[in-house]
Amino acid sequence: MKRIFALTLALVLCLGMLAGCGSSAAESAASAASAAEAPASAAEAPASAASAAEAPAAEGSAIATVNEGVLTMATNAYFPPYEYYDGDTIVGIDVDIAAAVAEKLGLELKIEDMEFDSIITAVSTGKADLGLAGMTVTEDRLQNINFSDSYAQGVQVVIVTEDSDITDLDGLAGKKIGVQLSTTGDIYASDEFGAENVEKFNKGNDAVMALLSGKIDAVIIDNEPAKSYVAANEGLKILDTQYAVEDYAACIAKENTALLEAVNAALQELTADGTLQSIVDKYISAE
């Protein structure tokens, strides 16, 4: 009897264990079913991510600058009225344009004054974001740097002393001509009159001082700085002829296409709303 009872008890326990195993299996199956449904819910996540990706980025967020939140401008502050010192502050057409562009991009403007010859190097090596310095777009420069849309037109002219025998461009042949190093005046004069007849100066003002002291016979420089130098120094005049007409633009590193596009967009807006012209008119009176 005990044996039968024991067998019966064992059978009951076994059936109980099977029931327990069946319950665990069922739970596992239910968990598996829930897990199988999870991908459907997860599949909805990419839609949200896609929506976020499609949302427009904050203005300027994709623009890489040397210092976050800052637009660093390289210039040579001896080229009035485009850039020059008013006391300890650098002011001028290029400065005001750069400030207006920086505001459009939500950036703070910082100005680095350096030799003109160093500007393109500073921009291309990542020490500055862009260069504005009455800089002309040339094929040679385009090999190393990109340029924004033009924001102004410059005219190269010739400064001589009032008693000079140079009366036109032909009279420059065989004369000592002063230029600012690496400017288009330097490039054009060296090519046309021979490098041996061209004296290169780091600043336009240094060339003008050399002219006044008789060390050179003429200076080739942009018309607006030329007018400032002649007005500030007695005994000088500008020849009544244009040496070259050229477009000014901001130089930007070749790889920084986002900044180039942003600057061009800002310049277009500043042109359309009249800001660009008002800046020029502030420094250059209509003749």
Side-chain angles (χ1 to χ4, degrees), residues 82-181:
Y82 290 92
E83 39 270 318
Y84 61 97
Y85 278 95
D86 181 6
D88 294 329
T89 304
I90 300 175
V91 298
I93 294 173
D94 285 342
V95 175
D96 285 6
I97 290 175
V101 168
E103 183 176 0
K104 287 280 185 185
L105 304 184
L107 301 170
E108 176 188 350
L109 179 64
K110 177 183 178 182
I111 303 173
E112 295 286 351
D113 185 18
M114 61 188 67
E115 301 297 347
F116 185 87
D117 192 36
S118 301
I119 294 174
I120 288 180
T121 300
V123 173
S124 62
T125 58
K127 294 180 180 178
D129 298 307
L130 76 174
L132 281 90
M135 186 174 291
T136 307
V137 180
T138 68
E139 291 300 321
D140 285 344
R141 288 172 178 166
L142 281 169
Q143 293 179 15
N144 302 308
I145 208 82
N146 278 334
F147 279 98
S148 70
D149 295 337
S150 176
Y151 61 83
Q153 190 175 72
V155 178
Q156 293 284 318
V157 296
V158 181
I159 305 175
V160 295
T161 56
E162 289 182 343
D163 59 356
S164 174
D165 61 353
I166 301 172
T167 58
D168 54 26
L169 297 180
D170 291 337
L172 291 172
K175 301 291 187 177
K176 280 292 181 183
I177 303 168
V179 297
Q180 186 175 6
L181 180 65

Side-chain angles (χ1 to χ4, degrees), residues 8-23:
T8 302
L9 181 60
L11 180 60
V12 171
L13 291 173
C14 182
L15 289 172
M17 290 177 65
L18 287 173
C21 290
S23 177

